[in-house]
Amino acid sequence: MTHSVRAAVLTAPGRYEVQEFPKPELADGALLMQVEMSGICGTDKHTYAGETKQYAGTPAETDTPFPIIQGHENVGIIAEITPQAAERIEFYGRTLKVGDRITHCPDLVCGQCYTCKHVMGYVWFDNSECYGNSLTSANAPHLLGGWSEQMYLRPDTFVYKVPDGLSPRVAVLAELMACAASLDKLKEFSSYAIEGFTSGDTVVVIGSGPLGLLHIAKADMMGAGQIIATDLSAYRLDWAKRCGADEVINVSTTNPEERIDRIRELTAGRGADVVLHMANTPKSFIEGIEMLKRGGMMLEMGNFADTGEVALNVHRHICSKNIRLIGLTNHPSTGYGPALRLLERYSDRYPFEEMVTHTYGIDQAGQAMRTSMSPDSMKVAIVP
């Protein structure tokens, strides 16, 4: 009898089905991972809601295909591996074997386009393919997302061996922590006077979900002088304090003017040096600019999917304030090694082990998604 693998399949926005697929034959250089845990990302929520367009206006523009197995924040154990993969698929050149715990970059690059050849680390490729986001389960090998008992990792996957000291509950945060390499990008600008992110700066983080929390922790590691977090949820603001925020502002009990005034009050009237916009809505984008000092820098990373437009006054918000606006829609493949080391090194300082607050099985994918949208959850994960 042919071995089958169960997976939660999103057949259309808002609708999951548990389906069975044949266990795939491995191409030379591929491996099969027994999934231990797969996190629900903000992009998964957008896809569930029918907001499926990513990389809009670029050669990489995509609309998520249905049916699809979601899940691109994955950690698992190697169940099967081909000889070529054992020697070549690990990003840092380490030999892999059955039983090793691994994670992987969700993005599959062509290696041939202009961006692949000119941008170090960041996967801004023209021919977008991504596990759990753009690879349909309708075609073999089917198992191309983490909400499955097993996952097929192609030979062109960036795979990373997880340090022995990291549990699956922490290793599942690797992709998000790799996203926090954005702060290293901002640090590059600090060679210019009063630009970029430097030690002692005031950093405002708008949106204290899992992505925002890891940016708070990373900013704290990198020497931020004052970290201010905002969110709609008091529960998440408590998490922000645990991850290094000095001040928190509840968006549910304040208006934009009050929040902007509070930032000025905390910065001697100047405004924040850096604003990190981690909210998955454009509604607070202009507010973030208003919180900046003149010459400040804002990072936009929250709106990975196309969530609509906001009105912007070019003179007031860009030119007059002399701001530096950085948009990042991805993380660097080179960021996983540092991310895993930071998660291990600072595990006694930040509550990484507790950040996965809810877990659900494959047959509970709908409930898992609804919980992830609750203000009283942090990282929600599927455990096949």
Side-chain angles (χ1 to χ4, degrees):
M1 185 176 70
T2 303
H3 177 67
S4 61
V5 180
R6 297 171 70 248
V9 179
L10 187 65
T11 59
R15 189 165 68 235
Y16 288 105
E17 293 179 7
V18 176
Q19 298 182 5
E20 293 191 0
F21 298 91
K23 180 180 175 183
E25 295 288 331
L26 296 184
D28 196 16
L31 66 82
L32 193 66
M33 179 178 73
Q34 191 75 30
V35 179
E36 292 183 294
M37 188 170 285
S38 181
I40 297 180
C41 176
T43 55
D44 297 319
K45 301 175 192 179
H46 286 302
T47 300
Y48 178 80
E51 298 167 338
T52 62
K53 190 174 292 297
Q54 298 179 9
Y55 302 109
T58 74
E61 182 175 314
T62 60
D63 283 289
T64 302
F66 298 99
I68 191 168
I69 300 172
Q70 292 178 290
H72 59 272
E73 300 175 1
N74 305 316
V75 60
I77 301 295
I78 296 176
E80 293 182 23
I81 190 167
T82 58
Q84 187 182 51
E87 296 296 328
R88 298 185 184 180
I89 201 170
E90 210 279 333
F91 190 84
Y92 298 103
R94 290 171 286 198
T95 300
L96 294 177
K97 64 183 185 303
V98 170
D100 283 343
R101 177 169 288 128
I102 57 171
T103 186
H104 66 93
C105 179
D107 301 295
L108 297 157
V109 304
C110 67
Q112 300 300 316
C113 68
Y114 177 89
T115 304
C116 281
K117 291 182 176 180
H118 289 82
V119 179
M120 174 60 184
Y122 280 89
V123 282
W124 300 334
F125 47 96
D126 292 343
N127 303 301
S128 177
E129 288 190 301
C130 181
Y131 289 112
N133 272 329
S134 67
L135 296 169
T136 178
S137 60
N139 304 323
H142 307 293
L143 306 177
L144 300 172
W147 299 8
S148 176
E149 293 171 329
Q150 294 182 322
M151 184 174 174
Y152 184 95
L153 297 183
R154 291 173 12 180
D156 52 349
T157 309
F158 294 138
V159 172
Y160 311 87
K161 187 174 181 179
V162 173
D164 292 339
L166 285 187
S167 70
R169 298 184 77 91
V170 178
V172 77
L173 303 175
E175 194 255 7
L176 282 178
M177 184 57 92
C179 288
S182 58
L183 288 170
D184 299 301
K185 177 62 67 176
L186 268 58
K187 192 79 171 177
E188 293 175 11
F189 290 87
S190 64
S191 59
Y192 300 96
I194 72 164
E195 294 190 31
F197 170 40
T198 61
S199 298
D201 276 354
T202 292
V203 177
V204 173
V205 180
I206 298 176
S208 299
L211 182 64
L213 288 189
L214 290 178
H215 274 80
I216 290 169
K218 181 77 176 285
D220 190 38
M221 295 175 197
M222 294 176 67
Q226 180 178 214
I227 301 173
I228 306 164
T230 78
D231 202 89
L232 290 159
S233 164
Y235 172 82
R236 293 191 170 192
L237 290 175
D238 285 340
W239 271 94
K241 292 177 183 177
R242 296 181 67 192
C243 288
D246 302 288
E247 299 278 346
V248 297
I249 302 174
N250 193 321
V251 176
S252 297
T253 59
T254 57
N255 62 44
E257 291 74 23
E258 290 171 330
R259 295 190 289 274
I260 293 165
D261 286 346
R262 180 58 177 156
I263 298 302
R264 290 176 180 156
E265 179 184 347
L266 291 168
T267 57
R270 290 187 302 274
D273 300 289
V274 176
V275 171
L276 310 178
H277 192 263
M278 299 288 139
N280 63 353
T281 171
K283 294 178 181 179
S284 50
F285 180 79
I286 300 302
E287 182 179 328
I289 293 178
E290 294 282 6
M291 290 176 173
L292 279 175
K293 70 178 184 183
R294 294 188 72 186
M297 178 167 281
M298 179 162 163
L299 168 70
E300 168 55 52
M301 206 174 190
N303 287 270
F304 192 90
D306 188 346
T307 53
E309 300 177 356
V310 291
L312 182 147
N313 184 310
V314 176
H315 167 73
R316 176 188 175 113
H317 297 128
I318 305 295
C319 185
S320 182
K321 287 188 71 104
N322 290 267
I323 69 166
R324 308 299 183 255
L325 180 60
I326 305 297
L328 283 176
T329 58
N330 219 319
H331 61 282
S333 55
T334 51
Y336 280 79
L340 290 164
R341 287 192 292 273
L342 289 174
L343 288 169
E344 184 177 33
R345 178 178 177 85
Y346 289 95
S347 60
D348 60 343
R349 180 168 173 177
Y350 305 102
F352 298 140
E353 191 74 41
E354 303 170 51
M355 203 167 284
V356 176
T357 55
H358 300 77
T359 59
Y360 293 89
I362 285 172
D363 55 354
Q364 300 171 301
Q367 179 61 46
M369 180 60 71
R370 290 188 290 273
T371 300
S372 74
M373 296 177 177
S374 163
D376 295 327
S377 68
M378 193 43 64
K379 176 57 66 175
V380 178
I382 300 292
V383 180

